[in-house]
Amino acid sequence: MADYHDDLRLAHVLADAADAATMERFRAIDLKVETKPDMTPVSEADRAAEELIRGHLQRARPRDAVVGEEYGTAGTGPRRWIVDPIDGTKNYVRGVPVWATLISLTVQGDDGYEPVVGVVSAPALGRRWWAARGAGAYTGRSLTSASRIRVSRVGRIEDASFAYSSLSGWEERGRLDGFLDLTRACWRTRGYGDFWPYMMVAEGSVDICAEPELSLWDMAANVIVVQEAGGTFTGLDGRPGPHSGNAAASNGLLHEELLGYVGSRGA
């Protein structure tokens, strides 16, 4: 198995740089915010953080490709870095501290590009999570100050805690009935949104989560953290990884039942 320790160390360096840039502008009264063609917001901090990460990667990994939310794809090859400079921009621009920079390295495999390194850094929460293939998943302030994390062992849906983003997305895609049935079946539901539910699944504080519409950069870093924590991450169609345009993550024990509600049943 390939060793991605050097890439993981680099991802932490990238996250450190992004954290400094995003925190400097967080809750700034003169923060500039625009609306993109897809009607989602983008701030000057989103663009500055991605430019910073791309600059570091160009110097440190010039042969690797980069895919980012704000500036698209640059380069080709078997290794691709996936970057979401601020996952949770709506929270960021409103001063809500639940947002993170997502950085992932993916490598070309039999089923497309597969995440092998992921760092999820939420500086306003004072939290960071990371993983590399075959090396486990961790949370802490640095590689040398970290605790290993594992998914829960909850095996019944009626005992499960379910995290989701919003109701509207499920309704717009004709999946609301299955979603609501799941909320009624679970012990507890909470709408945390964005990266956080996946990190909670990895830590074992939440058992299942799902979202009906996502982009690659929303998922790639989360995938490897959940998987290395012992969990399962697929699309709503059951396809492993971040390739389906939506996501379902669980502790593994509850995954088929989760898909039964929000996958085929909810379609």
Side-chain angles (χ1 to χ4, degrees):
M1 182 178 293
D3 181 354
Y4 295 103
H5 186 71
D6 287 346
D7 294 305
L8 180 60
R9 290 179 63 87
L10 173 60
H12 275 274
V13 171
L14 301 176
D16 288 343
D19 285 356
T22 52
M23 285 301 292
E24 183 179 1
R25 300 299 292 152
F26 183 50
R27 292 178 174 159
I29 59 174
D30 60 341
L31 180 71
K32 296 178 182 178
V33 183
E34 301 173 9
T35 300
K36 294 190 286 189
D38 64 0
M39 302 308 293
T40 61
V42 58
S43 74
E44 62 181 271
D46 290 81
R47 289 175 172 147
E50 185 167 325
E51 288 174 346
L52 194 63
I53 291 169
R54 285 174 178 269
H56 276 281
L57 285 171
Q58 179 59 39
R59 294 187 293 274
R61 297 289 189 275
R63 295 183 179 181
D64 292 354
V66 182
V67 180
E69 179 176 11
E70 307 307 334
Y71 294 106
T73 302
T76 59
R79 290 167 44 102
R80 299 170 68 181
W81 292 85
I82 313 297
V83 178
D84 188 343
I86 299 179
D87 182 50
T89 297
K90 291 178 182 178
N91 283 347
Y92 184 89
V93 302
R94 290 297 302 270
V96 178
V98 183
W99 49 271
T101 296
L102 312 184
I103 301 168
S104 176
L105 172 63
T106 65
V107 298
Q108 198 164 24
D110 294 337
D111 298 317
Y113 285 88
E114 303 169 358
V116 295
V117 166
V119 171
V120 176
S121 190
L125 293 176
R127 298 294 310 276
R128 184 178 290 186
W129 302 261
W130 63 88
R133 179 181 284 178
Y138 295 83
T139 187
R141 295 193 175 276
S142 69
L143 283 167
T144 57
S145 177
S147 300
R148 189 160 187 172
I149 54 177
R150 295 287 300 178
V151 296
S152 76
R153 300 300 298 169
V154 172
R156 301 196 315 162
I157 204 73
E158 55 265 39
D159 297 328
S161 180
F162 170 45
Y164 63 93
S165 53
S166 68
L167 291 175
S168 59
W170 298 99
E171 185 172 26
E172 290 166 3
R173 288 156 190 83
R175 297 177 180 265
L176 185 60
D177 289 345
F179 171 83
L180 291 176
D181 286 346
L182 176 58
T183 65
R184 297 182 186 108
C186 289
W187 165 65
R188 191 169 191 257
T189 61
R190 286 293 184 270
Y192 297 109
D194 300 309
F195 69 95
W196 209 6
Y198 304 99
M199 298 303 98
M200 290 182 178
V201 167
E203 289 183 322
S205 53
V206 163
D207 309 301
I208 55 176
C209 66
E211 291 184 90
E213 184 180 26
L214 293 168
S215 297
L216 174 63
W217 43 78
D218 297 316
M219 296 182 279
N222 297 331
V223 168
I224 188 66
V225 176
V226 170
Q227 290 176 338
E228 286 295 320
T232 301
F233 192 114
T234 72
L236 300 181
D237 56 5
R239 181 185 179 188
H243 308 296
S244 301
N246 45 51
S250 76
N251 63 4
L253 300 174
L254 298 169
H255 206 78
E256 289 305 313
E257 198 164 358
L258 169 61
L259 293 179
Y261 281 99
V262 297
S264 57
R265 263 190 60 186

